[in-house]
């Protein structure tokens, strides 16, 4: 739990720094910019990594899971969890927007 909390704080700090560098000067611009980055990473993870890379190339799979073809080819499972990730991303992006609005 401590590691995840630290990772969340680092992610939030990165979002705030990137939005400040991008010139975000209000809650809306910081929220939209940070959520756009969140979606980019989320979609890359789902569509490129899960659907293409891990499903088709056994050499890049986690050690010990090379023979789990059926688990890696569950596109609906990965898509649903991508939607969950999109919903969870709202919280840190809202906080990022609030922090930028207070700073600027």
């Amino acid at each position: 739990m401590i590691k995840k909390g630290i990772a969340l704080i680092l992610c939030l700090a990165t979002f705030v720094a990137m939005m400040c560098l991008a010139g975000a000067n209000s809650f809306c611009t910081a929220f939209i910019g940070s959520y756009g980055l969140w979606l980019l990473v989320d979609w890359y993870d789902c569509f490129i990594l899960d659907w293409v890379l891990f499903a088709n190339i056994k050499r890049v799979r986690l050690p010990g899971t090379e023979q789990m073809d059926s688990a890696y080819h569950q596109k609906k499972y990965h898509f649903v969890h991508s939607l969950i990730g999109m919903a969870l991303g709202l919280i840190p992006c809202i906080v990022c927007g609030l922090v930028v609005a207070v700073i600027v």
Side-chain angles (χ1 to χ4, degrees), residues 2-69:
I2 293 173
K3 290 180 183 180
K4 289 181 181 181
I6 292 170
L8 182 62
I9 291 171
L10 288 174
C11 180
L12 181 62
T14 303
F15 273 162
V16 170
M18 290 173 69
M19 291 304 103
C20 288
L21 288 174
N25 54 7
S26 68
F27 170 81
C28 289
T29 56
F31 170 74
I32 291 170
S34 62
Y35 194 65
L37 290 172
W38 186 278
L39 288 179
L40 183 71
V41 171
D42 186 62
W43 291 342
Y44 176 79
D45 175 57
C46 178
F47 300 124
I48 304 299
L49 293 180
D50 292 337
W51 285 14
V52 176
L53 193 66
F54 293 125
N56 298 312
I57 303 172
K58 290 184 180 184
R59 290 184 300 153
V60 297
R61 293 182 183 174
L62 296 171
T65 64
E66 296 89 354
Q67 303 305 320
M68 297 175 57
D69 287 331

Side-chain angles (χ1 to χ4, degrees), residues 82-99:
S82 176
L83 294 176
I84 293 169
M86 290 167 62
L88 290 175
L90 289 171
I91 297 167
C93 293
I94 288 171
V95 173
C96 174
L98 291 172
V99 170

